[in-house]
Amino acid sequence: MSTTYNVIGFGEFRDHTLPWVLFNAPNYFYLGAQRQVWSRHEHLRRQAERIDYLSRHITIPGNEDGLYQVHYLVPKSRRVLRNVQVLHRSEEPRPDLVYGPLTVDLISNVIDLSYAAYLDLYDYYYGPRRILEVISDHYNGPLLIDWPEDWPIEWSEGYFPDDGIWAEEWCQQFFSDDRNFHESARIISYVHHKRR
């Protein structure tokens, strides 16, 4: 299915489409959805509702038999997303060398781009980035690199195009392909709570 997305005519991401916003600034998109920013314009409201739903039901490519699951991991001290791993049902999550001991907060058969925002709407970087890395790995998206704050800017600026890491065309094509989304997401295990 080919979908035409309207260009946003206001705000920080003027001249971009909602699929682009969702990939380049996911929590901004979900914060906008929560505050009904996209509801001001009928065409954006409909598109926001559609991609909001789809972004919570992204399939794991080649997982028709359901052998792979997505594990969302959080620190024991605070419920913020710090790692996402796609594993075979027989595998356990691998230790995280960056954040230390993590516990599984959710196991699902889909990639849910909104899960970082669900846990902490103001986590603009680490949580969303972990999910985007999984999507990029499974859908041949852009290379995502965590640059240290003191990294020389001239070395890294080539990796951060002015129009975002995720290209507009790639984002729109992703949300226009129904094969990228699961018809009805099935949560395999809630560890701590019920979700929406």
Side-chain angles (χ1 to χ4, degrees), residues 12 23 29 98 100 102 121 133 182 184 192:
E12 183 178 350
F23 276 108
F29 173 86
V98 176
L102 297 176
L121 195 54
E133 287 170 352
H182 198 281
S184 60
H192 293 294

Side-chain angles (χ1 to χ4, degrees), residues 18-150:
L18 288 173
W20 183 93
V21 172
L22 192 49
F23 276 108
N24 285 279
N27 281 24
Y28 181 91
F29 173 86
Y30 294 117
L31 186 61
Q34 186 182 71
R35 294 182 176 169
Q36 299 185 344
V37 169
W38 315 122
S39 298
R40 297 177 190 163
H41 306 278
E42 182 64 22
H43 57 281
L44 286 180
R45 181 190 61 76
R46 287 193 312 272
Q47 291 173 17
E49 288 173 356
R50 178 180 183 271
I51 66 173
D52 183 13
Y53 177 81
L54 293 176
S55 73
R56 300 165 195 267
H57 302 88
I58 300 170
T59 60
I60 303 165
N63 194 35
E64 292 78 16
D65 52 6
L67 292 178
Y68 290 89
Q69 303 171 338
V70 186
H71 294 246
Y72 300 84
L73 298 111
V74 300
K76 290 184 178 181
S77 59
R78 184 171 166 224
R79 290 189 63 238
V80 290
L81 188 65
R82 287 299 173 258
N83 200 333
V84 180
Q85 298 177 13
V86 177
L87 303 170
H88 190 275
R89 285 189 302 203
S90 63
E91 292 180 278
E92 291 293 321
R94 299 175 298 277
D96 192 293
L97 303 177
V98 176
Y99 299 106
L102 297 176
T103 59
V104 176
D105 196 63
L106 175 73
I107 300 172
S108 174
N109 68 329
V110 294
I111 302 167
D112 181 350
L113 184 51
S114 74
Y115 202 70
Y118 166 71
L119 293 174
D120 182 355
L121 195 54
Y122 297 98
D123 173 11
Y124 287 102
Y125 187 75
Y126 292 104
R129 192 160 181 97
R130 300 295 78 90
I131 301 172
L132 289 170
E133 287 170 352
V134 168
I135 294 170
S136 185
D137 287 348
H138 286 85
Y139 284 96
N140 298 317
L143 177 65
L144 302 181
I145 298 174
D146 283 330
W147 294 103
E149 289 182 18
D150 59 350

